[in-house]
Amino acid sequence: EDQVTQSPEALRLQEGESSSLNCSYTVSGLRGLFWYRQDPGKGPEFLFTLYSAGEEKEKERLKATLTKKESFLHITAPKPEDSATYLCAVQAGKGNNRLAFGKGNQVVVIP
Amino acid sequence: SAVISQKPSRDICQRGTSLTIQCQVDSQVTMMFWYRQQPGQSLTLIATANQGSEATYESGFVIDKFPISRPNLTFSTLTVSNMSPEDSSIYLCSVAAGLRETQYFGPGTRLLVL
């Protein structure tokens, strides 16, 4: 069974204080690892897909990296508008298109 | 990407009743999915809505409780039947779009069962 564990569950950062979120996974044949951002009262917003170990992707202050066992979402010099819950999900190589999600990293950036 | 809308955005229902949630996407897509997000829990796939055939349900979810319709390539409904307080949750529709079939999510339907 595909499993995704995210840590820390909650994180409070000062504005400008860089940090990293961790997503550890076990999956039978990784097809893709996904990061989403979810604001309160809204649906998840797609950020990145990573397909193979060593791959990196960036978007503004966010950078996602992937190894064979985990992914990191680095937040560089965060701003209050980066406050959100960040969700990690994996998709296995076999079977249907089901995404297996972690519980999320809740990030609060304090001005 | 895809623009997805859901109706209703939220509802408060009495136990024993049923609620049908609608999902509309702005382009034709092959795959649509229904997820549940319970408080403090991760998103869990309920079923894949297949156009022209029965939905494919995940372990722990059954058609009698969560009947799904998919009449065309832009629309689907999920019904939560004979509701109990344990069904209080956010229900999310998603679609697979683009060359890599990335999943995009709707805004969700917030359901409270009393």
Side-chain angles (χ1 to χ4, degrees), chain A residues 19-79:
Chain A
S19 189
S20 295
L21 311 177
N22 177 264
C23 171
S24 298
Y25 65 91
T26 56
V27 64
S28 176
L30 181 69
R31 183 171 157 187
L33 184 139
F34 301 80
W35 282 98
Y36 290 85
R37 169 190 170 127
Q38 187 172 27
D39 293 303
K42 296 188 176 182
E45 174 191 347
F46 171 72
L47 293 174
F48 305 110
T49 310
L50 301 167
Y51 296 100
S52 58
E55 188 175 1
E56 299 182 351
K57 289 194 175 172
E58 289 188 65
K59 180 179 180 179
E60 296 181 356
R61 294 176 294 282
L62 301 177
K63 178 180 177 180
T65 62
L66 180 65
T67 73
K68 289 186 178 180
K69 294 183 179 180
E70 59 191 351
S71 176
F72 291 93
L73 185 64
H74 307 278
I75 310 177
T76 302
K79 297 182 178 181

Coordinates of all heavy atoms in Angstrom, one line a residue, chain A residues 19-79:
Chain A
S19 N 13.0 27.6 5.1 CA 12.8 26.3 5.8 C 12.5 25.3 4.7 O 12.3 25.6 3.6 CB 11.7 26.4 6.8 OG 11.6 25.2 7.6
S20 N 12.4 24.1 5.2 CA 12.1 22.9 4.3 C 11.0 22.1 4.9 O 10.9 21.8 6.1 CB 13.3 22.1 4.0 OG 14.3 22.8 3.3
L21 N 10.1 21.6 4.0 CA 9.1 20.6 4.4 C 9.5 19.2 3.8 O 10.0 19.2 2.7 CB 7.7 21.0 3.8 CG 7.3 22.5 4.0 CD1 6.0 22.8 3.3 CD2 7.3 22.8 5.5
N22 N 9.2 18.2 4.6 CA 9.6 16.9 4.1 C 8.4 16.0 3.8 O 7.3 16.1 4.4 CB 10.4 16.2 5.3 CG 10.8 14.8 4.9 OD1 10.1 13.8 5.3 ND2 11.9 14.6 4.2
C23 N 8.5 15.2 2.8 CA 7.5 14.2 2.4 C 8.2 12.9 2.1 O 9.0 12.7 1.1 CB 6.8 14.7 1.1 SG 5.7 13.4 0.3
S24 N 8.0 11.9 3.0 CA 8.6 10.6 2.9 C 7.6 9.7 2.3 O 6.4 9.7 2.7 CB 9.1 10.1 4.2 OG 10.1 10.9 4.8
Y25 N 8.0 8.8 1.4 CA 7.0 8.0 0.7 C 7.5 6.6 0.5 O 8.7 6.3 0.4 CB 6.6 8.6 -0.6 CG 7.7 8.6 -1.6 CD1 7.9 7.6 -2.5 CD2 8.6 9.7 -1.7 CE1 8.9 7.6 -3.5 CE2 9.6 9.7 -2.6 CZ 9.8 8.7 -3.5 OH 10.8 8.7 -4.4
T26 N 6.5 5.6 0.4 CA 6.8 4.3 0.0 C 5.7 4.0 -1.1 O 4.5 4.2 -0.8 CB 6.7 3.2 1.1 OG1 5.4 3.3 1.8 CG2 7.8 3.5 2.1
V27 N 6.1 3.5 -2.2 CA 5.2 3.3 -3.3 C 5.8 2.2 -4.2 O 7.0 2.1 -4.4 CB 4.9 4.6 -4.1 CG1 6.2 5.1 -4.8 CG2 3.8 4.4 -5.1
S28 N 4.9 1.5 -4.8 CA 5.3 0.4 -5.7 C 5.5 1.0 -7.1 O 4.5 1.2 -7.8 CB 4.3 -0.7 -5.7 OG 4.6 -1.7 -6.7
G29 N 6.7 1.4 -7.5 CA 6.9 2.0 -8.8 C 6.4 3.4 -8.9 O 5.3 3.6 -9.4
L30 N 7.2 4.4 -8.5 CA 6.7 5.8 -8.5 C 6.5 6.2 -10.0 O 7.4 6.2 -10.8 CB 7.7 6.7 -7.8 CG 7.4 8.1 -7.7 CD1 6.2 8.3 -6.8 CD2 8.6 9.0 -7.3
R31 N 5.3 6.7 -10.2 CA 5.0 7.3 -11.5 C 5.1 8.9 -11.4 O 5.5 9.5 -12.4 CB 3.6 7.0 -11.9 CG 3.1 7.4 -13.2 CD 1.8 6.8 -13.5 NE 1.0 7.5 -14.5 CZ -0.2 7.2 -14.9 NH1 -0.8 6.2 -14.3 NH2 -0.8 7.9 -15.8
G32 N 4.9 9.4 -10.3 CA 5.0 10.9 -10.1 C 4.8 11.2 -8.6 O 4.0 10.6 -7.9
L33 N 5.5 12.3 -8.2 CA 5.2 12.9 -6.9 C 4.8 14.3 -7.1 O 5.3 15.0 -7.8 CB 6.5 12.8 -6.0 CG 6.3 13.3 -4.6 CD1 7.1 12.4 -3.6 CD2 6.7 14.8 -4.4
F34 N 3.7 14.6 -6.4 CA 3.0 15.9 -6.6 C 3.0 16.7 -5.3 O 2.8 16.2 -4.2 CB 1.5 15.6 -7.0 CG 1.4 14.8 -8.3 CD1 1.5 13.4 -8.2 CD2 1.2 15.4 -9.5 CE1 1.4 12.6 -9.3 CE2 1.0 14.6 -10.6 CZ 1.2 13.3 -10.5
W35 N 3.2 18.0 -5.5 CA 3.0 19.0 -4.4 C 1.8 19.9 -4.8 O 1.7 20.4 -5.9 CB 4.2 19.8 -4.2 CG 5.3 19.1 -3.5 CD1 6.4 18.5 -4.0 CD2 5.4 19.0 -2.1 NE1 7.2 18.0 -3.0 CE2 6.6 18.3 -1.8 CE3 4.7 19.4 -1.0 CZ2 7.0 18.0 -0.5 CZ3 5.1 19.1 0.3 CH2 6.3 18.4 0.5
Y36 N 0.9 20.1 -3.8 CA -0.2 21.0 -4.0 C -0.1 22.0 -2.8 O 0.4 21.7 -1.7 CB -1.5 20.3 -3.9 CG -1.8 19.4 -5.1 CD1 -1.3 18.1 -5.2 CD2 -2.6 19.9 -6.1 CE1 -1.6 17.3 -6.3 CE2 -2.9 19.1 -7.2 CZ -2.4 17.8 -7.3 OH -2.7 17.0 -8.4
R37 N -0.8 23.1 -3.0 CA -1.0 24.1 -2.0 C -2.5 24.2 -1.7 O -3.3 24.3 -2.7 CB -0.4 25.5 -2.4 CG -0.8 26.6 -1.5 CD -0.5 28.0 -2.1 NE -1.1 29.0 -1.3 CZ -0.4 30.1 -0.8 NH1 0.9 30.2 -1.1 NH2 -1.1 31.0 -0.1
Q38 N -2.9 24.3 -0.4 CA -4.3 24.4 -0.1 C -4.5 25.5 0.9 O -3.9 25.5 2.0 CB -4.9 23.1 0.4 CG -6.4 23.1 0.6 CD -7.0 21.8 1.0 OE1 -6.3 20.9 1.6 NE2 -8.2 21.6 0.6
D39 N -5.3 26.5 0.5 CA -5.6 27.6 1.4 C -6.9 27.2 2.1 O -7.8 26.5 1.5 CB -5.8 28.9 0.6 CG -4.5 29.4 0.0 OD1 -3.5 29.6 0.8 OD2 -4.4 29.5 -1.2
P40 N -7.2 27.8 3.2 CA -8.4 27.5 4.0 C -9.7 27.7 3.1 O -9.8 28.8 2.5 CB -8.4 28.4 5.2 CG -6.9 28.7 5.4 CD -6.3 28.7 4.0
G41 N -10.6 26.8 3.1 CA -11.8 26.9 2.4 C -11.7 26.7 0.9 O -12.7 27.0 0.2
K42 N -10.5 26.3 0.4 CA -10.4 26.1 -1.0 C -9.8 24.7 -1.4 O -9.4 24.0 -0.5 CB -9.4 27.2 -1.6 CG -9.9 28.6 -1.4 CD -9.0 29.6 -2.1 CE -9.5 31.0 -2.1 NZ -8.6 31.9 -2.8
G43 N -9.9 24.4 -2.6 CA -9.4 23.1 -3.1 C -7.9 23.2 -3.3 O -7.3 24.3 -3.4
P44 N -7.2 22.0 -3.3 CA -5.8 22.0 -3.6 C -5.4 22.7 -4.9 O -6.1 22.4 -5.9 CB -5.4 20.6 -3.6 CG -6.5 19.9 -2.8 CD -7.7 20.7 -3.1
E45 N -4.3 23.5 -4.9 CA -3.8 24.1 -6.1 C -2.5 23.4 -6.5 O -1.6 23.3 -5.7 CB -3.6 25.6 -5.8 CG -2.9 26.3 -7.0 CD -2.5 27.7 -6.6 OE1 -2.9 28.2 -5.5 OE2 -1.7 28.4 -7.3
F46 N -2.4 23.0 -7.7 CA -1.3 22.2 -8.2 C 0.0 23.1 -8.2 O -0.1 24.3 -8.7 CB -1.5 21.7 -9.6 CG -0.3 21.1 -10.3 CD1 0.2 19.9 -9.9 CD2 0.3 21.8 -11.3 CE1 1.3 19.3 -10.5 CE2 1.4 21.2 -11.9 CZ 1.9 20.0 -11.5
L47 N 1.1 22.6 -7.7 CA 2.4 23.3 -7.7 C 3.4 22.6 -8.7 O 3.9 23.2 -9.6 CB 3.0 23.4 -6.3 CG 2.2 24.2 -5.3 CD1 2.9 24.1 -3.9 CD2 2.2 25.7 -5.7
F48 N 3.7 21.4 -8.4 CA 4.8 20.7 -9.1 C 4.5 19.2 -9.2 O 3.8 18.6 -8.4 CB 6.1 20.7 -8.3 CG 6.6 22.1 -7.9 CD1 6.6 22.5 -6.6 CD2 7.1 23.0 -8.8 CE1 7.0 23.7 -6.2 CE2 7.6 24.2 -8.5 CZ 7.6 24.6 -7.2
T49 N 5.1 18.6 -10.3 CA 5.2 17.2 -10.4 C 6.7 16.8 -10.6 O 7.4 17.5 -11.4 CB 4.4 16.6 -11.6 OG1 3.1 17.1 -11.6 CG2 4.4 15.1 -11.5
L50 N 7.2 15.8 -9.8 CA 8.5 15.3 -9.9 C 8.4 13.9 -10.3 O 7.6 13.1 -9.8 CB 9.3 15.5 -8.6 CG 9.4 16.9 -8.1 CD1 9.9 16.9 -6.7 CD2 10.3 17.7 -9.0
Y51 N 9.3 13.4 -11.3 CA 9.1 12.1 -11.8 C 10.2 11.2 -11.5 O 10.0 9.9 -11.5 CB 8.9 12.2 -13.4 CG 7.7 12.9 -13.8 CD1 7.7 14.2 -14.2 CD2 6.5 12.3 -13.8 CE1 6.6 14.9 -14.6 CE2 5.3 12.9 -14.1 CZ 5.4 14.2 -14.6 OH 4.2 14.9 -15.0
S52 N 11.4 11.7 -11.3 CA 12.6 10.8 -11.0 C 13.5 11.4 -10.0 O 13.6 12.7 -9.9 CB 13.3 10.5 -12.3 OG 13.7 11.7 -12.9
A53 N 14.3 10.6 -9.3 CA 15.2 11.0 -8.3 C 16.2 11.9 -8.9 O 16.7 11.7 -10.0 CB 15.9 9.8 -7.7
G54 N 16.5 13.0 -8.2 CA 17.4 14.0 -8.7 C 16.8 15.2 -9.4 O 17.4 16.2 -9.6
E55 N 15.5 15.1 -9.7 CA 14.8 16.1 -10.4 C 14.5 17.3 -9.4 O 14.2 17.0 -8.2 CB 13.5 15.6 -11.0 CG 12.8 16.6 -11.9 CD 11.6 15.9 -12.6 OE1 11.3 14.7 -12.3 OE2 10.9 16.6 -13.4
E56 N 14.5 18.5 -9.9 CA 14.2 19.7 -9.1 C 13.3 20.6 -9.9 O 13.5 20.7 -11.1 CB 15.5 20.4 -8.7 CG 16.4 19.7 -7.8 CD 17.6 20.5 -7.4 OE1 17.8 21.7 -8.0 OE2 18.4 20.1 -6.6
K57 N 12.4 21.3 -9.2 CA 11.5 22.3 -9.9 C 11.4 23.5 -9.0 O 11.3 23.3 -7.8 CB 10.2 21.7 -10.3 CG 10.3 20.6 -11.4 CD 9.0 20.3 -12.0 CE 9.2 19.4 -13.2 NZ 7.9 18.9 -13.8
E58 N 11.3 24.6 -9.6 CA 11.1 25.9 -8.9 C 10.0 26.7 -9.3 O 9.6 26.7 -10.5 CB 12.4 26.7 -9.0 CG 13.6 26.2 -8.3 CD 14.8 27.1 -8.3 OE1 14.7 28.2 -7.7 OE2 15.8 26.8 -9.0
K59 N 9.4 27.4 -8.4 CA 8.3 28.4 -8.7 C 8.4 29.5 -7.7 O 8.1 29.2 -6.5 CB 7.0 27.7 -8.7 CG 5.8 28.6 -9.1 CD 4.5 27.8 -9.1 CE 3.3 28.7 -9.4 NZ 2.1 28.0 -9.4
E60 N 8.8 30.6 -8.1 CA 9.0 31.8 -7.2 C 9.8 31.4 -6.0 O 11.0 31.0 -6.1 CB 7.6 32.3 -6.8 CG 6.8 32.8 -7.9 CD 5.4 33.3 -7.5 OE1 5.0 33.2 -6.3 OE2 4.7 33.9 -8.4
R61 N 9.3 31.4 -4.8 CA 10.1 31.1 -3.6 C 10.1 29.6 -3.2 O 10.7 29.2 -2.2 CB 9.6 31.9 -2.4 CG 9.7 33.4 -2.6 CD 9.1 34.2 -1.4 NE 7.6 34.1 -1.4 CZ 6.8 34.7 -2.3 NH1 7.3 35.6 -3.1 NH2 5.5 34.6 -2.2
L62 N 9.5 28.8 -4.0 CA 9.4 27.4 -3.7 C 10.3 26.6 -4.6 O 10.4 26.8 -5.8 CB 7.9 26.9 -3.9 CG 6.9 27.6 -3.1 CD1 5.5 27.0 -3.4 CD2 7.1 27.4 -1.6
K63 N 10.9 25.6 -4.0 CA 11.8 24.6 -4.8 C 11.5 23.2 -4.3 O 11.6 23.0 -3.1 CB 13.2 25.0 -4.7 CG 14.2 24.0 -5.4 CD 15.6 24.5 -5.2 CE 16.6 23.6 -5.9 NZ 18.0 24.0 -5.7
A64 N 11.1 22.3 -5.2 CA 10.9 20.9 -4.8 C 12.0 20.0 -5.4 O 12.4 20.2 -6.5 CB 9.5 20.5 -5.4
T65 N 12.4 19.1 -4.5 CA 13.4 18.1 -4.9 C 12.9 16.7 -4.6 O 12.0 16.5 -3.8 CB 14.7 18.4 -4.1 OG1 14.5 18.2 -2.7 CG2 15.3 19.8 -4.4
L66 N 13.6 15.7 -5.2 CA 13.1 14.4 -5.1 C 14.3 13.4 -5.0 O 15.2 13.5 -5.8 CB 12.2 14.0 -6.3 CG 11.7 12.5 -6.3 CD1 10.7 12.4 -5.2 CD2 11.0 12.2 -7.7
T67 N 14.2 12.5 -4.0 CA 15.1 11.4 -3.9 C 14.3 10.1 -4.0 O 13.1 10.2 -4.2 CB 15.9 11.3 -2.6 OG1 15.0 11.0 -1.5 CG2 16.5 12.7 -2.3
K68 N 14.9 9.0 -3.9 CA 14.2 7.7 -4.0 C 13.2 7.4 -2.9 O 12.4 6.5 -2.9 CB 15.2 6.5 -4.2 CG 15.9 6.5 -5.6 CD 16.7 5.3 -5.8 CE 17.4 5.3 -7.2 NZ 18.2 4.1 -7.4
K69 N 13.4 8.2 -1.8 CA 12.6 7.9 -0.6 C 11.8 9.1 -0.1 O 10.9 9.0 0.7 CB 13.5 7.4 0.6 CG 14.1 6.1 0.3 CD 14.9 5.6 1.6 CE 15.5 4.2 1.3 NZ 16.3 3.8 2.5
E70 N 12.2 10.3 -0.5 CA 11.5 11.5 0.0 C 11.6 12.7 -1.0 O 12.4 12.7 -1.9 CB 12.1 11.8 1.4 CG 13.6 12.1 1.4 CD 14.2 12.2 2.8 OE1 13.4 12.2 3.7 OE2 15.4 12.2 2.9
S71 N 10.8 13.6 -0.7 CA 10.8 14.9 -1.4 C 10.9 16.0 -0.4 O 10.3 15.9 0.7 CB 9.6 15.0 -2.3 OG 9.6 16.3 -2.9
F72 N 11.5 17.1 -0.8 CA 11.6 18.3 0.0 C 11.0 19.5 -0.7 O 11.1 19.6 -1.9 CB 13.0 18.6 0.4 CG 13.6 17.7 1.4 CD1 14.4 16.6 0.9 CD2 13.4 17.8 2.7 CE1 15.0 15.7 1.8 CE2 14.0 16.9 3.6 CZ 14.8 15.8 3.1
L73 N 10.2 20.3 0.0 CA 9.7 21.5 -0.5 C 10.4 22.6 0.3 O 10.2 22.8 1.4 CB 8.2 21.7 -0.4 CG 7.6 22.9 -1.1 CD1 7.8 22.9 -2.6 CD2 6.1 23.0 -0.8
H74 N 11.3 23.3 -0.4 CA 12.1 24.4 0.2 C 11.4 25.7 0.0 O 11.0 26.0 -1.1 CB 13.5 24.5 -0.4 CG 14.3 23.2 -0.3 ND1 14.9 22.7 0.8 CD2 14.4 22.2 -1.3 CE1 15.5 21.5 0.5 NE2 15.2 21.2 -0.8
I75 N 11.2 26.5 1.1 CA 10.6 27.8 1.0 C 11.7 28.8 1.3 O 12.2 28.8 2.5 CB 9.4 27.9 1.9 CG1 8.4 26.8 1.8 CG2 8.7 29.2 1.7 CD1 7.3 26.8 2.7
T76 N 12.1 29.6 0.3 CA 13.1 30.6 0.5 C 12.6 31.9 0.8 O 11.7 32.4 0.0 CB 14.0 30.6 -0.7 OG1 14.5 29.3 -1.0 CG2 15.2 31.6 -0.6
A77 N 13.0 32.6 1.9 CA 12.6 33.9 2.3 C 11.1 34.1 2.2 O 10.6 34.9 1.4 CB 13.3 35.0 1.4
P78 N 10.3 33.3 2.9 CA 8.9 33.2 2.8 C 8.2 34.6 3.1 O 8.8 35.3 4.0 CB 8.5 32.1 3.8 CG 9.5 32.1 4.8 CD 10.8 32.4 4.0
K79 N 7.1 34.8 2.5 CA 6.3 36.0 2.8 C 4.9 35.5 3.4 O 4.6 34.3 3.3 CB 6.0 36.7 1.5 CG 7.3 37.3 0.9 CD 6.9 38.1 -0.4 CE 8.2 38.7 -1.0 NZ 7.9 39.5 -2.2

